[in-house]
Amino acid sequence: MKIVLNGHEADVASDATLADVVASAGLAGRRVAIEVNREIVPRSDYAARLLAAGDRIEVVHAIGGG
Amino acid sequence: MNALPQSVTPAPIDDPLTIAGRAYRSRLLTGTGKFKDLAETGRATEAAGAEIVTVAIRRTNIGQNPGEPNLLDVLPPSRYTILPNTAGCYTADDAVRTCRLARELLDGHKLVKLEVLGDEKTLFPDVVQTLKAAEILVADGFDVMVYTSDDPILARKLEAIGCVAVMPLAAPIGSGLGIQNRWNLVEIVENAKVPVLVDAGVGTASDASIAMELGCDGVLMNTAIAGAKDPVLMAHAMKLAVEAGRAAFRAGRIPRKRYASASSPLDGRVG
């Protein structure tokens, strides 16, 4: 099924969890924060959070800024 | 002697800057943008002696250089107070959303730098949206350090909402124009019961000293350091400037007079 990950369409398995997406993006264990459809999903819930087609996922981190 | 580890009894801080109940030695807060690389960011932050550093919250690059070093590896939250900003936000909603993401990112961390911009050319704050966002964030339990214009009335309103620090600009962000409206800053400082920090517009060390001599509690800067030819040396200069300006403010300067006043006694001159 298709989801939108940081503004780009991505294909994931129909039973994919948020943890699967994080792992396949190479972000497992990295310090990130995630919204699904504008709602923050706590880090501890990634593995339990099943995704649905069309979900819009935002993954953010801290970068240099003033 | 039976020396205790130093961490057990930290030395009391002389003249601390207290923000949201936490005392800091350094009155210089630094941004982490615009440096050549993370190593330079780390060296400049160290040279500045900063204890509070701002960061931006942005989308993670998916699938690109997953092994690349992270800013928070260079500036670990265990050592620095991380101050996530809402730079680039033009509405209260976007700013609030960014702060909530930052809180999740930093494990429940409540301190944020709120800035809601109104215009790309000046990067002046949209004060209406800033007030709205501040109200929402304070109600949501955030400790809000707020970037604002140098308007004393607005500063008072932001303090009344419950912001933990008011941070008027000295001049537009990144302009390096220095303190443009010192009497407004003095008015803000004299009215405020929360720390007042100059945020934005500093160009060189003397600007930082002037801000502190006026009675500001601290200075937050990024471009003045990161954009200097030698950022690490400028960070050192800014550390000294903030310390010197603060000491001069505490010492109490002499009044300005129009005519001379001899330093040496008149009595006992030869002849």
Side-chain angles (χ1 to χ4, degrees):
Chain A
M1 65 181 177
K2 298 214 184 295
I3 58 166
V4 180
L5 180 58
N6 280 3
H8 298 284
E9 201 167 75
D11 243 321
V12 299
S14 58
D15 61 349
T17 65
L18 191 52
D20 296 332
V21 171
V22 168
S24 66
L27 296 170
R30 306 280 292 183
R31 190 187 275 272
V32 294
I34 302 183
E35 277 181 352
V36 176
N37 303 328
R38 298 195 68 135
E39 295 226 345
I40 290 172
V41 180
R43 205 165 298 151
S44 53
D45 293 354
Y46 293 171
R49 177 61 187 251
L50 285 166
L51 297 176
D55 275 352
R56 301 185 72 86
I57 301 173
E58 293 284 341
V59 184
V60 301
H61 65 160
I63 63 160
Chain B
M1 274 190 42
N2 218 350
L4 286 168
Q6 283 190 337
S7 59
V8 173
T9 48
I13 302 176
D14 176 43
D15 186 35
L17 168 65
T18 302
I19 295 176
R22 186 160 168 193
Y24 298 91
R25 279 186 175 76
S26 172
R27 291 174 178 270
L28 174 56
L29 289 69
T30 55
T32 57
K34 297 185 179 174
F35 288 99
K36 187 179 66 184
D37 51 33
L38 287 177
E40 187 180 78
T41 310
R43 287 198 306 276
T45 307
E46 183 81 37
E51 295 169 286
I52 302 177
V53 295
T54 62
V55 303
I57 305 298
R58 289 291 181 272
R59 279 177 169 169
T60 306
N61 291 326
I62 303 293
Q64 292 174 18
N65 312 319
E68 77 181 327
N70 185 299
L71 177 64
L72 297 183
D73 297 333
V74 178
L75 303 173
S78 54
R79 176 162 171 213
Y80 294 96
T81 294
I82 306 297
L83 182 60
N85 69 25
T86 62
C89 291
Y90 283 81
T91 65
D93 283 350
D94 281 348
V96 169
R97 183 183 182 190
T98 301
C99 288
R100 287 178 176 152
L101 280 165
R103 181 168 61 184
E104 165 65 17
L105 184 74
L106 296 167
D107 308 317
H109 173 92
K110 295 193 299 179
L111 191 68
V112 290
K113 171 182 160 179
L114 171 64
E115 58 178 291
V116 188
L117 304 174
D119 176 279
E120 283 179 24
K121 182 178 171 189
T122 62
L123 297 180
F124 279 144
D126 180 327
V127 297
V128 176
Q129 293 290 313
T130 301
L131 281 167
K132 189 175 156 195
E135 280 175 349
I136 296 168
L137 290 168
V138 169
D140 199 8
F142 283 95
D143 292 329
V144 180
M145 300 177 71
V146 59
Y147 167 65
T148 182
S149 57
D150 57 9
D151 176 348
I153 309 304
L154 195 65
R156 203 162 62 199
K157 289 190 178 184
L158 288 163
E159 179 177 343
I161 285 171
C163 293
V164 298
V166 175
M167 305 201 291
L169 54 81
I173 293 172
S175 69
L177 289 174
I179 315 290
Q180 293 299 301
N181 209 343
R182 61 178 71 191
W183 299 113
N184 276 29
L185 289 180
V186 168
E187 186 66 19
I188 292 170
V189 166
E190 287 184 353
N191 290 335
K193 292 184 185 64
V194 295
V196 174
L197 293 88
V198 157
D199 178 5
V202 166
T204 189
S206 53
D207 298 332
S209 288
I210 290 169
M212 298 307 293
E213 287 169 8
L214 293 174
C216 292
D217 298 281
V219 182
L220 198 170
M221 65 179 76
N222 190 154
T223 307
I225 293 173
K229 272 187 196 158
D230 184 338
V232 178
L233 186 56
M234 185 58 90
H236 174 66
M238 291 299 187
K239 176 180 195 280
L240 299 178
V242 167
E243 287 174 358
R246 177 65 184 176
F249 171 72
R250 293 176 73 202
R253 60 151 299 151
I254 60 165
R256 290 176 174 86
K257 286 176 296 193
R258 181 159 174 195
Y259 295 110
S261 149
S263 304
S264 305
L266 295 176
D267 287 350
R269 285 173 294 168
V270 293

